[in-house]
Amino acid sequence: MADFAKKQNRRVLTFLVRCFVLVIAATLALQILPWKRLAVILPSLSPFVAICSALAIRTLSVITLLAVPLFIMALWRGRWFCRNLCPVGFLSENIRRLRRPANPNFTKAPLIGQWVVLLTLGGAILGYPLFLLFDPLGIFNGFFQALCRPFSVSSMVYCLPLLIVLTINFVWVGLWCSHLCPLGAIQVMLFRLWGIFRHNILILYRQESPDNNKVLTARRDILALGTGILAAVTTRKLFRGRAMKPIRPPGAIDESNFTAVCIRCGNCTRACPAGIIEPDPGGYGVASFMTPTLRFENNYCQEDCNSCNEVCPSGAITGLSLAEKRKTTVGLAKVDMSICLLSEERECTVCVRICPYDAVKLAFSEEDYISIPKIDPDKCTGCGACEWVCPVSPKKAITIESVS
Ligand code: SF4
Ligand code: SF4
């Protein structure tokens, strides 16, 4: 009886802790606290994101270190995080309680999550971690940050992944968590790896022969890693975007890796005080779908801001300081003299006056016998201020073009 009461108490305590964690996770994702930078925490806790992105961008940052506690926990206790803290797991568990019978048997279903992890790791070796965007913490983050945005198709699309995960777990009870989730899978794999390591130490110590099952599993893992490397090469070629490249936030890594390293968590979109970061609706190719791009219709990249660089958990945006960001070029302004008001001999110098980097000057054209705006490519960072203020519409006479 005392045991039963103890178990009940523990269950209630776990439930309360998980409710608390869910509220904290949602608060961080919503970026409603005064310290917007905290939004980086939730998606960065995932060892799946940390290991694959660090491999892909060949950098270990302070943000990568946020995944260390969960990494150690996985080595020691396997899926402890899933059972006790994961907000997606908690939501799924409570939704599937609505469904009976609640115990279907998936023991024979393939462990797709582990393949996803291995393929992504294989791709990360080549700088293209294929399925990083399936991380549940990134999915959770994307859902909540989209709730704060004005209603639009893109905010609905950001909400979709979490709804799909919850639907999978509701229809095929627990299938996502047990067989599909890459974060769950990497915890199992780390636990297994640690087990193999300990086993091998024992073999060496006791001079026993190795366990054939473990040797076979290791072979399968190596095969999946190799497939990941091949898949990364093919996918990068197949999904190569359109000839026209998007303008990415300052500090974004090379375009050929960006689309895979960005986990679509939406942190940068939400953090931008100018509201100029928009998810790509697919105009720059399939691989770029829902990745952040800069649009200058309503504002420009502020010279005193590096917010997007402070909140990216995957390293897709590299974390530039304000001074570094001010020297970073995202694009180059280009003038279309066929529609510029000066070509009609009308008065206009707004692009010259607004440029915070003093990169636009009026120069006299001997050819057309008029003054024209001249861009200094050494000074222009592509901040978009000139495009934003240009009064010509619908197509602006001065626009920012990608330099990547
Ligand atoms: S640096 Fe520019 S793009 Fe990034 S958040 Fe600030 S204003 Fe937005
Ligand atoms: S680039 Fe933006 S959406 Fe992509 S992972 Fe970084 S913060 Fe998230």
Side-chain angles (χ1 to χ4, degrees):
M1 197 64 183
D3 268 3
F4 179 74
K6 234 189 216 170
K7 264 188 195 160
Q8 275 301 99
N9 285 347
R10 195 176 299 157
R11 246 182 237 152
V12 173
L13 185 67
T14 311
F15 180 79
L16 291 177
V17 169
R18 297 193 78 177
C19 286
F20 179 69
V21 171
L22 180 69
V23 173
I24 297 284
T27 312
L28 291 175
L30 289 166
Q31 297 186 18
I32 46 179
L33 298 172
W35 313 282
K36 299 252 180 293
R37 218 177 168 160
L38 295 181
V40 82
I41 294 177
L42 182 68
S44 307
L45 294 177
S46 163
F48 176 56
V49 171
I51 296 171
C52 294
S53 63
L55 252 182
I57 60 175
R58 322 271 190 256
T59 311
L60 261 185
S61 64
V62 181
I63 289 175
T64 319
L65 299 181
L66 287 173
V68 170
L70 190 42
F71 180 91
I72 295 172
M73 204 47 158
L75 290 176
W76 180 39
R77 301 289 298 273
R79 297 188 69 157
W80 182 88
F81 173 79
C82 296
R83 288 189 299 272
N84 295 289
L85 296 179
C86 179
V88 177
F90 184 54
L91 281 177
S92 300
E93 248 175 67
N94 285 293
I95 287 175
R96 75 191 191 217
R97 271 184 227 283
L98 305 171
R99 203 176 139 88
R100 304 195 186 280
N103 287 318
N105 193 351
F106 294 124
T107 43
K108 291 211 175 110
L111 294 170
I112 293 173
Q114 297 198 9
W115 281 89
V116 169
V117 171
L118 290 165
L119 288 170
T120 309
L121 269 175
I125 293 169
L126 277 198
Y128 203 74
L130 293 164
F131 303 116
L132 206 55
L133 72 169
F134 290 152
D135 182 81
L137 299 183
I139 289 177
F140 180 89
N141 209 80
F143 176 87
F144 280 91
Q145 75 80 26
L147 291 186
C148 311
R149 287 166 56 78
F151 182 78
S152 67
V153 176
S154 69
S155 53
M156 275 171 63
V157 175
Y158 260 124
C159 289
L160 267 184
L162 183 63
L163 298 179
I164 292 173
V165 165
L166 297 180
T167 311
I168 291 175
N169 263 343
F170 178 74
V171 178
W172 298 281
V173 180
L175 181 67
W176 165 269
C177 287
S178 60
H179 285 69
L180 305 179
C181 175
L183 178 53
I186 204 166
Q187 292 172 76
V188 174
M189 292 162 84
L190 288 170
F191 185 64
R192 207 178 66 202
L193 262 180
W194 183 238
I196 292 174
F197 177 73
R198 276 187 313 193
H199 172 81
N200 285 333
I201 295 279
L202 276 183
I203 286 172
L204 281 180
Y205 182 66
R206 293 184 192 152
Q207 297 187 343
E208 290 170 357
S209 56
D211 179 341
N212 279 339
N213 282 339
K214 287 187 174 134
V215 174
L216 274 177
T217 317
R219 275 191 204 147
R220 260 201 316 257
D221 291 354
I222 291 167
L223 177 74
L225 274 176
T227 316
I229 294 175
L230 279 180
V233 177
T234 336
T235 319
R236 215 190 320 214
K237 278 198 179 137
L238 269 179
F239 287 164
R240 194 167 280 161
R242 306 249 165 102
M244 212 175 81
K245 298 278 179 238
I247 317 270
R248 298 294 185 194
I253 57 169
D254 190 79
E255 185 58 28
S256 58
N257 301 2
F258 186 87
T259 50
V261 177
C262 169
I263 58 169
R264 280 73 162 169
C265 69
N267 269 356
C268 53
T269 314
R270 173 106 175 101
C272 179
I276 57 168
I277 306 184
E278 285 285 332
D280 170 26
Y284 294 102
V286 185
S288 169
F289 184 62
M290 298 313 285
T291 54
T293 56
L294 298 193
R295 306 281 299 267
F296 303 113
E297 282 101 359
N298 302 315
N299 216 328
Y300 71 101
C301 182
Q302 313 288 304
E303 52 278 26
D304 57 352
C305 169
N306 65 337
S307 300
C308 54
N309 277 267
E310 293 183 327
V311 293
C312 179
S314 73
I317 304 177
T318 45
L320 302 177
S321 66
L322 189 54
E324 289 167 330
K325 181 256 158 173
R326 283 175 62 90
K327 287 187 220 138
T328 303
T329 302
V330 296
L332 183 64
K334 197 175 168 211
V335 184
D336 182 350
M337 277 316 291
S338 66
I339 50 175
C340 175
L341 295 181
L342 291 177
S343 65
E344 297 167 16
E345 294 185 17
R346 288 168 64 188
E347 281 293 311
C348 180
T349 52
V350 282
C351 57
V352 179
R353 281 181 282 128
I354 189 96
C355 180
Y357 300 94
D358 207 19
V360 194
K361 289 266 182 307
L362 278 189
F364 187 72
S365 160
E366 300 276 350
E367 205 177 300
D368 304 315
Y369 229 67
I370 50 166
S371 292
I372 58 169
K374 272 260 180 223
I375 312 296
D376 181 345
D378 294 331
K379 288 185 179 170
C380 176
T381 62
C383 76
C386 51
E387 179 174 330
W388 171 49
V389 291
C390 177
V392 181
S393 76
K395 189 179 175 298
K396 302 281 185 155
I398 186 163
T399 49
I400 306 301
E401 291 190 353
S402 166
V403 283
S404 60

mmCIF file of all heavy atoms in Angstrom, residues 248-250 268 271-277 294 300-309 317 322 325 383, ligand 1:
data_model
loop_
_atom_site.group_PDB
_atom_site.id
_atom_site.type_symbol
_atom_site.label_atom_id
_atom_site.label_comp_id
_atom_site.label_asym_id
_atom_site.label_seq_id
_atom_site.Cartn_x
_atom_site.Cartn_y
_atom_site.Cartn_z
ATOM 1 N N ARG A 248 20.038 36.348 -47.464
ATOM 2 C CA ARG A 248 19.940 35.726 -46.135
ATOM 3 C C ARG A 248 20.272 36.744 -45.054
ATOM 4 O O ARG A 248 20.935 37.755 -45.322
ATOM 5 C CB ARG A 248 20.934 34.567 -46.030
ATOM 6 C CG ARG A 248 20.699 33.428 -47.020
ATOM 7 C CD ARG A 248 19.417 32.706 -46.755
ATOM 8 N NE ARG A 248 19.245 31.541 -47.627
ATOM 9 C CZ ARG A 248 18.101 30.904 -47.765
ATOM 10 N NH1 ARG A 248 17.033 31.283 -47.092
ATOM 11 N NH2 ARG A 248 18.003 29.866 -48.572
ATOM 12 N N PRO A 249 19.853 36.478 -43.810
ATOM 13 C CA PRO A 249 20.225 37.384 -42.718
ATOM 14 C C PRO A 249 21.754 37.495 -42.606
ATOM 15 O O PRO A 249 22.474 36.564 -42.976
ATOM 16 C CB PRO A 249 19.638 36.689 -41.480
ATOM 17 C CG PRO A 249 18.545 35.821 -42.009
ATOM 18 C CD PRO A 249 18.994 35.379 -43.361
ATOM 19 N N PRO A 250 22.256 38.626 -42.080
ATOM 20 C CA PRO A 250 23.706 38.786 -41.955
ATOM 21 C C PRO A 250 24.288 37.677 -41.091
ATOM 22 O O PRO A 250 23.689 37.294 -40.088
ATOM 23 C CB PRO A 250 23.861 40.150 -41.268
ATOM 24 C CG PRO A 250 22.510 40.478 -40.724
ATOM 25 C CD PRO A 250 21.507 39.770 -41.552
ATOM 26 N N CYS A 268 14.968 33.454 -35.655
ATOM 27 C CA CYS A 268 15.490 34.687 -36.264
ATOM 28 C C CYS A 268 14.339 35.549 -36.777
ATOM 29 O O CYS A 268 14.336 36.765 -36.619
ATOM 30 C CB CYS A 268 16.471 34.355 -37.380
ATOM 31 S SG CYS A 268 15.824 33.235 -38.611
ATOM 32 N N ALA A 271 12.816 37.214 -33.870
ATOM 33 C CA ALA A 271 13.692 38.148 -33.128
ATOM 34 C C ALA A 271 13.920 39.457 -33.872
ATOM 35 O O ALA A 271 14.249 40.459 -33.250
ATOM 36 C CB ALA A 271 15.033 37.482 -32.858
ATOM 37 N N CYS A 272 13.757 39.467 -35.196
ATOM 38 C CA CYS A 272 14.111 40.657 -35.977
ATOM 39 C C CYS A 272 13.195 41.835 -35.640
ATOM 40 O O CYS A 272 11.999 41.803 -35.923
ATOM 41 C CB CYS A 272 14.023 40.335 -37.472
ATOM 42 S SG CYS A 272 14.425 41.769 -38.493
ATOM 43 N N PRO A 273 13.725 42.893 -35.022
ATOM 44 C CA PRO A 273 12.867 44.018 -34.635
ATOM 45 C C PRO A 273 12.347 44.781 -35.851
ATOM 46 O O PRO A 273 11.325 45.456 -35.771
ATOM 47 C CB PRO A 273 13.794 44.896 -33.800
ATOM 48 C CG PRO A 273 15.172 44.547 -34.236
ATOM 49 C CD PRO A 273 15.143 43.124 -34.676
ATOM 50 N N ALA A 274 13.053 44.660 -36.976
ATOM 51 C CA ALA A 274 12.622 45.373 -38.179
ATOM 52 C C ALA A 274 11.540 44.597 -38.934
ATOM 53 O O ALA A 274 10.884 45.141 -39.823
ATOM 54 C CB ALA A 274 13.826 45.605 -39.083
ATOM 55 N N GLY A 275 11.365 43.345 -38.583
ATOM 56 C CA GLY A 275 10.342 42.514 -39.241
ATOM 57 C C GLY A 275 10.646 42.237 -40.704
ATOM 58 O O GLY A 275 9.734 42.071 -41.513
ATOM 59 N N ILE A 276 11.948 42.168 -41.043
ATOM 60 C CA ILE A 276 12.280 41.982 -42.459
ATOM 61 C C ILE A 276 12.638 40.537 -42.793
ATOM 62 O O ILE A 276 12.922 40.220 -43.934
ATOM 63 C CB ILE A 276 13.443 42.906 -42.890
ATOM 64 C CG1 ILE A 276 14.673 42.644 -42.012
ATOM 65 C CG2 ILE A 276 13.030 44.366 -42.848
ATOM 66 C CD1 ILE A 276 15.931 43.300 -42.555
ATOM 67 N N ILE A 277 12.667 39.647 -41.775
ATOM 68 C CA ILE A 277 12.989 38.245 -42.070
ATOM 69 C C ILE A 277 11.685 37.489 -42.310
ATOM 70 O O ILE A 277 10.816 37.446 -41.446
ATOM 71 C CB ILE A 277 13.803 37.584 -40.938
ATOM 72 C CG1 ILE A 277 15.042 38.423 -40.626
ATOM 73 C CG2 ILE A 277 14.185 36.165 -41.310
ATOM 74 C CD1 ILE A 277 15.979 37.831 -39.587
ATOM 75 N N LEU A 294 15.542 37.797 -46.430
ATOM 76 C CA LEU A 294 15.290 39.206 -46.102
ATOM 77 C C LEU A 294 14.394 39.842 -47.149
ATOM 78 O O LEU A 294 14.602 39.652 -48.349
ATOM 79 C CB LEU A 294 16.603 39.993 -46.008
ATOM 80 C CG LEU A 294 17.613 39.583 -44.940
ATOM 81 C CD1 LEU A 294 18.689 40.644 -44.780
ATOM 82 C CD2 LEU A 294 16.959 39.332 -43.594
ATOM 83 N N TYR A 300 14.315 47.927 -43.165
ATOM 84 C CA TYR A 300 15.641 47.494 -43.611
ATOM 85 C C TYR A 300 16.427 46.935 -42.430
ATOM 86 O O TYR A 300 15.993 47.048 -41.280
ATOM 87 C CB TYR A 300 16.391 48.669 -44.265
ATOM 88 C CG TYR A 300 16.847 49.736 -43.289
ATOM 89 C CD1 TYR A 300 18.155 49.787 -42.856
ATOM 90 C CD2 TYR A 300 15.953 50.694 -42.806
ATOM 91 C CE1 TYR A 300 18.583 50.767 -41.963
ATOM 92 C CE2 TYR A 300 16.379 51.665 -41.913
ATOM 93 C CZ TYR A 300 17.689 51.702 -41.493
ATOM 94 O OH TYR A 300 18.099 52.654 -40.604
ATOM 95 N N CYS A 301 17.570 46.324 -42.708
ATOM 96 C CA CYS A 301 18.384 45.700 -41.656
ATOM 97 C C CYS A 301 19.068 46.812 -40.849
ATOM 98 O O CYS A 301 19.932 47.521 -41.368
ATOM 99 C CB CYS A 301 19.405 44.759 -42.292
ATOM 100 S SG CYS A 301 20.413 43.920 -41.076
ATOM 101 N N GLN A 302 18.665 46.933 -39.592
ATOM 102 C CA GLN A 302 19.095 48.052 -38.751
ATOM 103 C C GLN A 302 20.593 47.964 -38.434
ATOM 104 O O GLN A 302 21.089 46.883 -38.080
ATOM 105 C CB GLN A 302 18.325 48.046 -37.424
ATOM 106 C CG GLN A 302 16.824 47.860 -37.584
ATOM 107 C CD GLN A 302 16.159 49.091 -38.163
ATOM 108 O OE1 GLN A 302 16.285 50.160 -37.608
ATOM 109 N NE2 GLN A 302 15.449 48.935 -39.278
ATOM 110 N N GLU A 303 21.260 49.123 -38.518
ATOM 111 C CA GLU A 303 22.711 49.113 -38.313
ATOM 112 C C GLU A 303 23.092 48.856 -36.851
ATOM 113 O O GLU A 303 24.221 48.472 -36.558
ATOM 114 C CB GLU A 303 23.362 50.405 -38.843
ATOM 115 C CG GLU A 303 22.780 51.724 -38.366
ATOM 116 C CD GLU A 303 21.528 52.189 -39.117
ATOM 117 O OE1 GLU A 303 20.803 51.328 -39.657
ATOM 118 O OE2 GLU A 303 21.279 53.400 -39.141
ATOM 119 N N ASP A 304 22.140 49.064 -35.909
ATOM 120 C CA ASP A 304 22.473 48.844 -34.495
ATOM 121 C C ASP A 304 21.855 47.542 -33.975
ATOM 122 O O ASP A 304 21.507 47.420 -32.814
ATOM 123 C CB ASP A 304 21.967 50.022 -33.657
ATOM 124 C CG ASP A 304 20.468 50.223 -33.831
ATOM 125 O OD1 ASP A 304 19.883 49.549 -34.715
ATOM 126 O OD2 ASP A 304 19.879 51.031 -33.090
ATOM 127 N N CYS A 305 21.688 46.574 -34.851
ATOM 128 C CA CYS A 305 21.014 45.336 -34.426
ATOM 129 C C CYS A 305 21.759 44.106 -34.934
ATOM 130 O O CYS A 305 22.242 44.076 -36.065
ATOM 131 C CB CYS A 305 19.590 45.347 -34.974
ATOM 132 S SG CYS A 305 18.754 43.762 -34.816
ATOM 133 N N ASN A 306 21.871 43.089 -34.077
ATOM 134 C CA ASN A 306 22.377 41.780 -34.524
ATOM 135 C C ASN A 306 21.546 40.672 -33.870
ATOM 136 O O ASN A 306 22.050 39.587 -33.586
ATOM 137 C CB ASN A 306 23.877 41.616 -34.220
ATOM 138 C CG ASN A 306 24.158 41.596 -32.724
ATOM 139 O OD1 ASN A 306 23.368 42.117 -31.930
ATOM 140 N ND2 ASN A 306 25.268 41.000 -32.336
ATOM 141 N N SER A 307 20.255 40.978 -33.643
ATOM 142 C CA SER A 307 19.387 40.050 -32.895
ATOM 143 C C SER A 307 19.324 38.661 -33.521
ATOM 144 O O SER A 307 19.354 37.661 -32.812
ATOM 145 C CB SER A 307 17.968 40.611 -32.820
ATOM 146 O OG SER A 307 17.978 41.829 -32.170
ATOM 147 N N CYS A 308 19.239 38.600 -34.860
ATOM 148 C CA CYS A 308 19.109 37.275 -35.484
ATOM 149 C C CYS A 308 20.356 36.435 -35.218
ATOM 150 O O CYS A 308 20.280 35.203 -35.188
ATOM 151 C CB CYS A 308 18.827 37.398 -36.974
ATOM 152 S SG CYS A 308 20.029 38.405 -37.850
ATOM 153 N N ASN A 309 21.479 37.100 -35.012
ATOM 154 C CA ASN A 309 22.721 36.371 -34.751
ATOM 155 C C ASN A 309 22.801 35.847 -33.319
ATOM 156 O O ASN A 309 23.668 35.058 -32.994
ATOM 157 C CB ASN A 309 23.921 37.284 -35.029
ATOM 158 C CG ASN A 309 24.257 37.297 -36.500
ATOM 159 O OD1 ASN A 309 25.083 36.527 -36.934
ATOM 160 N ND2 ASN A 309 23.578 38.121 -37.286
ATOM 161 N N ILE A 317 23.062 30.774 -38.778
ATOM 162 C CA ILE A 317 23.487 32.173 -38.673
ATOM 163 C C ILE A 317 24.569 32.183 -37.588
ATOM 164 O O ILE A 317 24.334 31.702 -36.483
ATOM 165 C CB ILE A 317 22.321 33.104 -38.291
ATOM 166 C CG1 ILE A 317 21.185 32.950 -39.306
ATOM 167 C CG2 ILE A 317 22.770 34.542 -38.234
ATOM 168 C CD1 ILE A 317 19.958 33.767 -39.003
ATOM 169 N N LEU A 322 27.952 42.805 -32.919
ATOM 170 C CA LEU A 322 27.389 43.961 -33.622
ATOM 171 C C LEU A 322 28.428 44.577 -34.568
ATOM 172 O O LEU A 322 28.123 44.911 -35.722
ATOM 173 C CB LEU A 322 26.896 44.989 -32.597
ATOM 174 C CG LEU A 322 26.084 46.144 -33.156
ATOM 175 C CD1 LEU A 322 24.905 45.658 -33.983
ATOM 176 C CD2 LEU A 322 25.597 47.040 -32.028
ATOM 177 N N LYS A 325 28.854 42.307 -37.523
ATOM 178 C CA LYS A 325 27.658 42.351 -38.373
ATOM 179 C C LYS A 325 27.640 43.603 -39.235
ATOM 180 O O LYS A 325 27.265 43.565 -40.413
ATOM 181 C CB LYS A 325 26.404 42.248 -37.498
ATOM 182 C CG LYS A 325 25.105 42.269 -38.258
ATOM 183 C CD LYS A 325 24.447 43.622 -38.105
ATOM 184 C CE LYS A 325 23.477 43.918 -39.191
ATOM 185 N NZ LYS A 325 22.729 45.139 -38.953
ATOM 186 N N CYS A 383 21.979 46.426 -46.824
ATOM 187 C CA CYS A 383 21.038 46.526 -45.690
ATOM 188 C C CYS A 383 19.605 46.784 -46.141
ATOM 189 O O CYS A 383 18.661 46.574 -45.391
ATOM 190 C CB CYS A 383 21.478 47.603 -44.714
ATOM 191 S SG CYS A 383 21.149 49.281 -45.303
HETATM 192 S S1 SF4 B 1 20.546 42.177 -37.920
HETATM 193 FE FE1 SF4 B 1 19.106 42.926 -39.495
HETATM 194 S S2 SF4 B 1 18.050 41.064 -40.196
HETATM 195 FE FE2 SF4 B 1 19.059 40.524 -38.264
HETATM 196 S S3 SF4 B 1 17.507 40.889 -36.703
HETATM 197 FE FE3 SF4 B 1 18.662 42.815 -36.858
HETATM 198 S S4 SF4 B 1 17.530 44.069 -38.364
HETATM 199 FE FE4 SF4 B 1 16.782 41.940 -38.562
#
